[in-house]
């Protein structure tokens, strides 16, 4: 067996400089995705018209419930709906007509203007996991989330190149009282990151606190005239709008802040088992929710949401990355575009308990589905584990890394003179190779997306470096990013004013943990 040739001693300069450049911590944030590829559509016009007609039947004949909210019932009466107790029946065409005042796209401003995002059109904005009460990492395993965990996730989101948005409740800081934790979460998003963020929705007064904190951060006039928050308003599917979520929507719509009106669909539990039946219910719920936002303030920005999973008929557990969920998501995207509304769906969904092969398969299916479905705002795009019960640090950086592949795919295929590469084909000719040709040298830095987590080294090098699997590599990247974190600059007076607001609000009420 031939001996391996001795390695050449590395020279100073070029090679070492390039290696240092590749290993340096990168604080760059990529611009939100602008698709140059077509959306994948599964329904023809006839099928869409059937679903739209059936959704109107649901609204007019079955109706939706607005519970514990007399003011909402009166608004619907005044608009021409039939109100019977808490049941609202909306005449055919009324909800669709009200939805027409909602914008087809809008800008959510970040405190760093370079990181503001446009939600709608052909754009895709990526935001992290939202809502888990538990966290997991390689060192501590699965445990209840704390404020320290929350702050670390915000830092990781800030440092993730392909993530455009800081998100909202990245995990629930269970060591902080329920009635006060929204203040700490908002403060973390505002001070530890300069990306756009989401407001609190767990109680209408907390939505108002979010608005007031934004007025400190951005200025009252700026908040009055611009959208600086996007917030998640879940519908209690099937067809129930509770006073807490609607109260938060009322606050945000009144202040011209964006809301995602999102049915919470687990097929077979909260919606029919069929794709067409689920789409009918989703559309009916969205029409009612978006229309209600426009009753509060015509022109308030709103997003057509659809959180979609199916169910394991043996255990009752939600399942993710399934073909049925994909079909619903593709169809919902078509319905959203026919309403001329931005679309929210998909994410790094999986039911796995660990960042393992199941998590990878299901997540890849869900992320790619979102890109192809024409999603404009993708919540849960990184960090989701165990059906949304867990925010996982290692999976956060794995998923955030893979979001770069979505950016690459969304670019589509260029056919400009450089992309045609005829000069390279002429230079190399038959039997040659392209590694050293002028075209490769000119384009090699930007030609291919490159993972910052996955390992592509030869076996021998990989083995010498500890034979680390992806989980171990991700754990190392979490440590590297957090160790190199530097807070984005923020005016000292604004920071102090935010901290004072939080301290005074907390002092004004006793702790409550329910």
């Amino acid at each position: 067996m031939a001996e391996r040739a001795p390695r050449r001693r590395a020279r100073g300069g070029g090679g070492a400089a390039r290696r240092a450049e590749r290993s340096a911590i990168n604080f760059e944030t990529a611009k939100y995705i602008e698709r140059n590829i077509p959306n994948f559509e599964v329904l023809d016009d006839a099928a869409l018209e059937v679903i739209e007609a059936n959704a109107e039947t649901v609204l007019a004949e079955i109706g939706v419930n607005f519970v514990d909210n007399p003011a909402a019932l009166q608004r619907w009466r005044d608009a021409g709906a039939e109100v019977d107790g808490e049941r609202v029946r909306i005449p055919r065409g009324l909800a669709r007509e009200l939805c027409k005042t909602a914008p087809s796209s809008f800008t959510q401003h970040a405190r760093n203007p370079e990181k503001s995002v446009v939600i709608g059109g052909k754009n895709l904005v990526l935001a992290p996991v939202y809502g888990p009460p538990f966290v997991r990492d390689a060192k501590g395993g699965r445990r209840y989330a704390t404020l320290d965990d929350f702050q670390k996730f915000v830092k990781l989101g800030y440092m993730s190149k392909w993530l455009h948005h800081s998100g909202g409740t990245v995990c629930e800081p269970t060591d902080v009282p329920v009635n006060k934790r929204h203040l700490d979460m908002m403060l973390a998003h505002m001070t530890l990151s300069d990306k756009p963020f989401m407001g609190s929705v767990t109680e209408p007064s907390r939505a108002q606190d979010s608005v007031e904190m934004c007025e400190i951060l951005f200025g009252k006039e700026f908040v009055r005239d611009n959208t600086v928050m996007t917030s998640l308003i879940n519908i209690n599917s099937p067809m129930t709008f509770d006073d807490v979520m609607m109260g938060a929507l009322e606050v945000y719509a009144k202040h011209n802040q964006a809301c995602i009106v999102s049915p919470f669909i687990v097929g077979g539990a909260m919606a029919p088992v069929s794709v067409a039946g689920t789409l009918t219910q989703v559309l009916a719920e969205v029409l009612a929710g978006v229309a209600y936002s426009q009753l509060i303030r015509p022109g308030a920005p709103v997003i057509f949401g659809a959180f979609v999973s199916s169910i394991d008929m043996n255990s009752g557990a939600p399942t993710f990355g399934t073909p049925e969920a994909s079909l619903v998501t593709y169809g919902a995207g078509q319905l959203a575009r026919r309403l001329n509304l931005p679309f929210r769906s998909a994410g790094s969904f999986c039911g796995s308990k660990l960042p393992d092969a199941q998590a990878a398969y299901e997540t890849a299916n869900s992320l790619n589905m979102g890109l192809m479905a024409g999603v404009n705002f993708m919540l849960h795009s990184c960090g989701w584990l165990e059906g949304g019960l867990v925010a996982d640090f290692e999976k956060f950086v794995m998923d955030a890394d893979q979001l770069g592949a979505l950016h690459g795919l969304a670019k589509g295929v260029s056919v400009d003179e450089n992309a045609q590469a005829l000069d390279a084909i002429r230079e190399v000719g038959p039997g040659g190779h392209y590694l050293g040709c002028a075209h490769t040298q000119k384009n090699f830095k930007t030609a291919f997306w490159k993972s910052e987590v996955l390992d592509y080294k030869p076996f021998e090098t990989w083995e010498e470096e500890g034979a680390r699997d992806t989980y171990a590599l991700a754990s190392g990247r979490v440590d590297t990013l957090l160790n190199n974190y530097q807070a984005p600059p923020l005016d000292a007076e604004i920071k102090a004013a935010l901290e004072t607001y939080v301290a005074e609000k907390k002092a004004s009420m006793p702790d409550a943990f329910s």
Side-chain angles (χ1 to χ4, degrees):
M1 187 170 107
E3 293 182 352
R4 187 183 305 168
R7 291 184 179 179
R8 294 175 59 187
R9 179 174 294 178
R11 298 178 181 176
R18 287 192 293 272
R19 285 191 294 275
E21 179 185 349
R22 288 194 294 269
S23 62
I25 298 300
N26 190 348
F27 289 93
E28 176 189 1
T29 296
K31 185 182 178 183
Y32 53 85
I33 291 174
E34 297 173 284
R35 289 182 183 82
N36 288 312
I37 56 175
N39 298 317
F40 186 67
E41 300 190 337
V42 296
L43 300 173
D44 60 21
D45 286 344
L48 290 165
E49 288 167 6
V50 166
I51 290 167
E52 289 171 339
N54 288 346
E56 294 284 0
T57 297
V58 170
L59 292 177
E61 299 180 12
I62 301 170
V64 296
N65 285 350
F66 277 75
V67 299
D68 299 322
N69 195 339
L73 299 176
Q74 188 58 50
R75 289 187 181 99
W76 278 116
R77 282 192 196 94
D78 295 342
E82 175 191 334
V83 178
D84 180 11
E86 294 184 324
R87 182 69 58 90
V88 178
R89 292 181 175 86
I90 305 171
R92 294 178 186 275
L94 174 59
R96 185 171 290 271
E97 186 65 27
L98 290 169
C99 290
K100 288 181 180 179
T101 58
S104 59
S105 67
F106 62 92
T107 298
Q108 184 187 347
H109 295 270
R111 71 173 175 90
N112 178 350
E114 293 182 358
K115 297 181 182 179
S116 296
V117 295
V118 178
I119 299 174
K122 292 186 175 182
N123 303 331
L124 171 56
V125 174
L126 301 167
V129 63
Y130 184 109
F134 300 100
V135 296
R136 176 186 284 278
D137 62 20
K139 300 179 183 67
R142 187 183 190 270
R143 61 188 186 280
Y144 278 105
T146 65
L147 181 59
D148 181 63
D149 293 316
F150 183 92
Q151 292 167 340
K152 287 178 179 175
F153 275 121
V154 173
K155 292 175 182 178
L156 289 174
Y158 166 64
M159 299 181 73
S160 297
K161 176 179 180 180
W162 306 111
L163 198 62
H164 316 119
H165 203 281
S166 194
T169 308
V170 191
C171 62
E172 281 280 354
T174 60
D175 56 337
V176 181
V178 170
N179 61 330
K180 299 179 180 181
R181 64 180 60 156
H182 68 288
L183 298 164
D184 288 311
M185 291 190 282
M186 294 296 296
L187 184 65
H189 283 302
M190 291 177 171
T191 60
L192 302 179
S193 176
D194 61 359
K195 295 182 179 181
F197 52 82
M198 302 177 74
S200 176
V201 296
T202 52
E203 211 277 333
S205 68
R206 297 168 197 164
Q208 184 62 41
D209 290 343
S210 302
V211 172
E212 291 173 5
M213 290 182 72
C214 283
E215 289 175 343
I216 295 172
L217 182 65
F218 292 96
K220 285 188 177 183
E221 290 186 1
F222 192 88
V223 173
R224 182 194 66 202
D225 298 334
N226 297 279
T227 299
V228 298
M229 279 184 291
T230 297
S231 299
L232 177 61
I233 305 298
N234 277 322
I235 298 166
N236 286 346
S237 303
M239 298 174 292
T240 301
F241 297 75
D242 68 65
D243 61 318
V244 173
M245 284 286 151
M246 289 302 99
L249 179 145
E250 290 161 10
V251 170
Y252 288 125
K254 175 183 175 182
H255 289 90
N256 200 39
Q257 302 306 308
C259 288
I260 306 165
V261 175
S262 192
F264 192 92
I265 298 299
V266 179
M270 285 97 130
V273 295
S274 65
V275 171
T278 295
L279 284 171
T280 296
Q281 183 182 306
V282 166
L283 180 58
E285 292 177 348
V286 170
L287 281 169
V290 173
Y292 184 65
S293 76
Q294 302 306 295
L295 289 178
I296 302 298
R297 177 170 174 163
V302 65
I303 299 171
F304 181 129
F307 175 89
V308 182
S309 70
S310 48
I311 195 170
D312 181 352
M313 287 299 184
N314 291 321
S315 68
T319 55
F320 300 93
T322 62
E324 296 79 18
S326 294
L327 291 170
V328 171
T329 304
Y330 293 134
Q334 292 180 257
L335 294 168
R337 288 188 288 277
R338 284 166 70 95
L339 276 174
N340 205 28
L341 291 172
F343 178 42
R344 171 259 164 154
S345 197
S348 59
F349 297 147
C350 66
S352 181
K353 316 305 178 287
L354 296 169
D356 57 7
Q358 177 185 341
Y361 281 127
E362 293 174 347
T363 295
N365 287 345
S366 298
L367 290 176
N368 282 294
M369 166 193 72
L371 178 69
M372 302 301 291
V375 168
N376 301 117
F377 188 87
M378 188 189 292
L379 195 56
H380 310 300
S381 67
C382 59
W384 172 289
L385 199 64
E386 202 178 317
L389 289 174
V390 173
D392 185 278
F393 282 91
E394 281 75 22
K395 190 167 185 291
F396 190 102
V397 299
M398 292 182 208
D399 294 341
D401 179 67
Q402 286 297 302
L403 298 179
L406 299 188
H407 284 72
L409 182 57
K411 289 179 181 177
V413 179
S414 173
V415 290
D416 63 16
E417 185 175 352
N418 179 65
Q420 292 174 44
L422 280 174
D423 55 339
I425 297 170
R426 286 194 180 97
E427 179 184 342
V428 172
H433 68 76
Y434 288 85
L435 292 175
C437 78
H439 185 268
T440 300
Q441 294 299 308
K442 176 183 175 183
N443 291 283
F444 78 94
K445 284 189 177 183
T446 58
F448 307 119
W449 167 74
K450 183 180 184 301
S451 170
E452 293 181 320
V453 175
L454 304 183
D455 187 292
Y456 301 115
K457 301 182 184 75
F459 175 83
E460 293 79 7
T461 305
W462 171 77
E463 190 174 45
E464 288 171 5
E465 293 180 352
R468 295 176 295 170
D469 61 13
T470 303
Y471 188 71
L473 293 168
S475 182
R477 181 150 179 82
V478 169
D479 291 341
T480 299
L481 290 172
L482 292 178
N483 288 338
N484 287 276
Y485 170 80
Q486 295 177 7
L490 176 62
D491 182 274
E493 290 186 6
I494 292 176
K495 186 171 185 287
L498 287 167
E499 291 170 344
T500 298
Y501 179 93
V502 168
E504 290 178 351
K505 274 284 180 178
K506 285 185 170 184
S508 71
M509 63 186 107
D511 292 350
F513 281 92
S514 62

